[in-house]
Amino acid sequence: MSDNGNNPFKIAQKQINDCADILKLDQSTREALLRPMRELHVTFPVHMDDGTTRMFQGFRVQYNDAKGPAKGGIRFHPDETIDTVRALAAWMTWKVALLDLPLGGGKGGVICNPKELSIHELERISRAYIKAIAPFIGPEKDVPAPDVYTNPQIMAWMMDEYSSMLGKNQFGVMTGKPLSLGGSPGRGDATARGGLYTLREAARKIGLELNKATVAIQGYGNAGSYAASLAESMFGAKIVAVCDSKGAVCCRAGLSSQTIAKQKQSTSSVLNCQGSECISQDALLEMDVDVLVLAALEGILTGKNAERVKAKVIVELANGPTTPEADEILYKKGVHVIPDFLCNAGGVTVSYFEMVQNASMYYWDEKEVHERLDKRMTRAYHEVFDMSEKHHINMRKAAYAVAVSRVVEAMKTRGWV
Ligand code: GLU
């Protein structure tokens, strides 16, 4: 994930520097934005099913909380590094600012491979990690949520552990919880749904008819699978290729999201999906489609493959899937990139709605969540689009300009810079 040439935090810092140039920020403000405000590294023991005890390593980074409590997911991944978490925490900061949420940016991670853990081991790791970082988080300080390989059940265990440490229910300490424990309606598909609202707006701008559009989806976890079913139900678009960590499949006549879901459920992979043929994951990225959805990890489109991308629109549901070199190439080619921290902000936006509902002890219905989400995503999309037109910069740089200005304003008003 983060070799020397492709370190996500180096990429995040380059993006901040580019934005600081555009906004003509002074040196101290630039420096304040280039590093996380706080980070915690923890090592903790977990009893494994075979009777042994293993030490695990985890992180929690609060990148910037000028605008409110830090907010951001927790990833469980074997290749997790502190620099990946730093980059993701930075991107969270810009994401919440872009959506104008009263929050800061944070991220957490544990180095582990959930695919090799039993459910009991997963529960013990979740509880041990939250115990280790408990003094660092809290509803008014830092509120974690699900991310890669974590889910509502894990959030429930973490909330329960934190609550028992404090001796009272603390539903507001985590978001993305199950509905039975203070979760918000509409949180499950919020990342994909929010991304598709921005795709709808982008399609209007570039004159793409989504009911005739072809879609390839890279990554088939929470975001990717909901993107497939929503692209069908919201727009009537045709899914022609999908992939997961095991491989990619394609079918020009179209794959139904239901068929893919069945295959994934019975074999844990999209491979051999009925009516499809196997292709390479690289071939999927370069397919002649209208919409390419990136819904896996960072560093997917790079200087090496961006030239061969044929999609008209890129929907970045993952965090950091496109490197700065790829951004330049895609911009020159006229590909409309909906940048990650705009496109995938639906998840944290509904997390914010969950915080509001937890604090007020009053729960909304799903329709209300969808309407409020649509309004915020649509507004953010147009703010970014207008900024990109006004300054002749790509959509990512425009998103940075909008978001970083807001964070800087809060920092200046607080007297930090
Ligand atoms: N992990 C998600 C993200 O990267 C959601 C974060 C949240 O809900 O706090 O945006």
Side-chain angles (χ1 to χ4, degrees), residues 71-73 92 95 107 143 145-147 175 187 319 344 347-348 351:
K71 187 86 195 77
M92 281 310 302
K95 191 183 304 190
K107 204 78 170 197
V143 180
D147 203 286
T175 61
R187 178 64 182 86
N319 288 308
N344 69 29
V348 74
S351 274

Side-chain angles (χ1 to χ4, degrees), residues 10-29:
K10 292 256 156 20
I11 291 175
Q13 287 182 315
K14 179 185 176 345
Q15 292 166 338
I16 295 165
N17 268 320
D18 287 350
C19 176
D21 291 342
I22 292 170
L23 296 178
K24 301 191 175 52
L25 298 180
D26 58 57
Q27 191 55 22
S28 62
T29 308

Side-chain angles (χ1 to χ4, degrees), residues 71 137-140 142-145 152 155-164 166-184 351-363:
K71 187 86 195 77
I137 61 167
E140 288 165 348
D142 181 358
V143 180
M155 298 305 113
W157 290 325
M158 290 180 170
M159 182 280 290
D160 180 69
E161 189 68 28
Y162 185 85
S163 295
S164 58
L166 267 72
K168 55 184 176 184
N169 274 332
Q170 290 282 285
F171 283 11
V173 71
M174 314 287 302
T175 61
K177 300 181 295 292
L179 275 179
S180 57
L181 284 176
S184 174
S351 274
Y352 162 64
F353 296 160
E354 185 173 332
M355 289 172 75
V356 172
Q357 294 170 82
N358 290 157
S360 64
M361 297 273 273
Y362 182 79
Y363 289 83

Side-chain angles (χ1 to χ4, degrees), residues 80-99:
E80 199 61 280
T81 68
I82 183 61
D83 271 349
T84 313
V85 180
R86 285 179 183 136
L88 290 159
W91 291 327
M92 281 310 302
T93 309
W94 322 134
K95 191 183 304 190
V96 290
L98 186 59
L99 271 286

